[in-house]
């Protein structure tokens, strides 16, 4: 049993919680629906679907899964979804019905793996310098939603780094 104030090691493998398994199954179903939409829908629907899929996936990783992604088993499974995103990018990158004025939104799929790796790097820095896992800032400055931990200045810095990286990658992908 761990002493109060100590944390798990950086890499650890726990069993998946039921909600994590449900999230992964639902995400797999959503991914299949997105693929079907990209194959069969009207061009405007394809574009909107692709953008929403990318944005919600990458925001959801940080805001909804930051406790889950600490477990390396869950992290590797989400990383496999990142590989699926990579495959989807190669399958749909030249599709003219998905193209938008500034290029293809499929380039944003490449950011998933980068953001997952950035998450682990930021997690490592938090453990190193705060001696605790970072948490996502809650609206209104209160404690985080999942663990009821007080949000520190370092948590806000990590949030800004992650969101700034996401925004920078998104803008960069739109200019390609």
């Amino acid at each position: 049993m761990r002493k109060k104030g100590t944390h798990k090691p950086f890499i650890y493998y726990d069993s998946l919680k039921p909600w994590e398994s449900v999230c992964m199954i639902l995400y797999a179903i959503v991914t299949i629906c997105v693929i079907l939409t990209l194959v069969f829908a009207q061009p405007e629907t394809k574009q909107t679907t692709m953008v929403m899929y990318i944005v919600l996936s990458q925001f959801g990783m940080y805001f909804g899964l930051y406790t889950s992604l600490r477990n390396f088993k869950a992290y590797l499974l989400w990383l496999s979804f990142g590989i699926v995103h990579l495959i989807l990018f190669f399958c749909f990158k030249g599709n003219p019905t998905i193209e938008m004025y500034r290029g293809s939104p499929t380039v944003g799929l490449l950011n998933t793996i980068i953001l997952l790796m950035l998450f682990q790097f930021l997690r490592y820095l938090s453990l190193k310098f705060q001696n605790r896992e970072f948490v996502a800032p809650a609206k209104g400055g209160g404690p985080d939603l999942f663990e009821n931990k007080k949000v520190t200045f370092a948590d806000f810095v990590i949030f800004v780094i992650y969101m700034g990286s996401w925004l920078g990658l998104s803008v960069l992908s739109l200019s390609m």
Side-chain angles (χ1 to χ4, degrees):
M1 181 162 205
R2 291 187 317 274
K3 295 179 190 172
K4 184 177 170 128
T6 63
H7 51 78
K8 292 181 179 182
F10 179 67
I11 295 177
Y12 67 91
Y13 298 89
D14 280 343
S15 297
L16 294 179
K17 295 173 183 76
W19 73 267
E20 293 171 317
S21 298
V22 169
C23 282
M24 288 182 192
I25 291 167
L26 289 174
Y27 192 75
I29 292 168
V30 166
T31 301
I32 291 167
C33 291
V34 166
I35 292 168
L36 292 172
T37 300
L38 294 175
V39 171
F40 297 112
Q42 297 296 319
E44 301 82 24
T45 304
K46 292 178 183 185
Q47 295 164 354
T48 303
T49 300
M50 180 59 69
V51 170
M52 294 303 295
Y53 179 69
I54 293 167
V55 168
L56 294 176
S57 296
Q58 294 168 359
F59 272 170
M61 283 188 303
Y62 186 87
F63 289 109
L65 297 173
Y66 67 89
T67 58
S68 179
L69 290 172
R70 296 172 186 167
N71 175 0
F72 216 63
K73 185 183 287 185
Y75 176 77
L76 292 174
L77 290 168
W78 285 108
L79 193 60
S80 68
F81 279 114
I83 293 168
V84 169
H85 286 191
L86 186 64
I87 292 167
L88 290 175
F89 165 75
F90 286 114
C91 290
F92 293 104
K93 72 177 180 172
N95 188 327
T97 62
I98 299 175
E99 291 289 322
M100 298 173 84
Y101 175 72
R102 302 263 317 167
S104 177
T106 59
V107 177
L109 292 166
L110 299 174
N111 299 342
T112 304
I113 291 175
I114 295 167
L115 290 169
L116 282 165
M117 291 189 299
L118 175 64
F119 175 91
Q120 288 298 341
F121 177 70
L122 294 172
R123 183 175 160 250
Y124 172 79
L125 291 178
S126 180
L127 286 168
K128 184 85 171 152
F129 294 110
Q130 293 193 104
N131 199 30
R132 74 176 190 123
E133 299 278 0
F134 74 82
V135 296
K139 186 177 179 181
D144 80 300
L145 296 173
F146 298 114
E147 298 175 306
N148 203 32
K149 288 183 181 176
K150 183 178 187 236
V151 178
T152 65
F153 178 73
D155 294 326
F156 283 107
V157 170
I158 288 169
F159 168 77
V160 168
I161 291 170
Y162 184 89
M163 287 297 126
S165 299
W166 174 82
L167 183 61
L169 289 167
S170 296
V171 169
L172 181 64
S173 66
L174 288 175
S175 64
M176 295 179 110

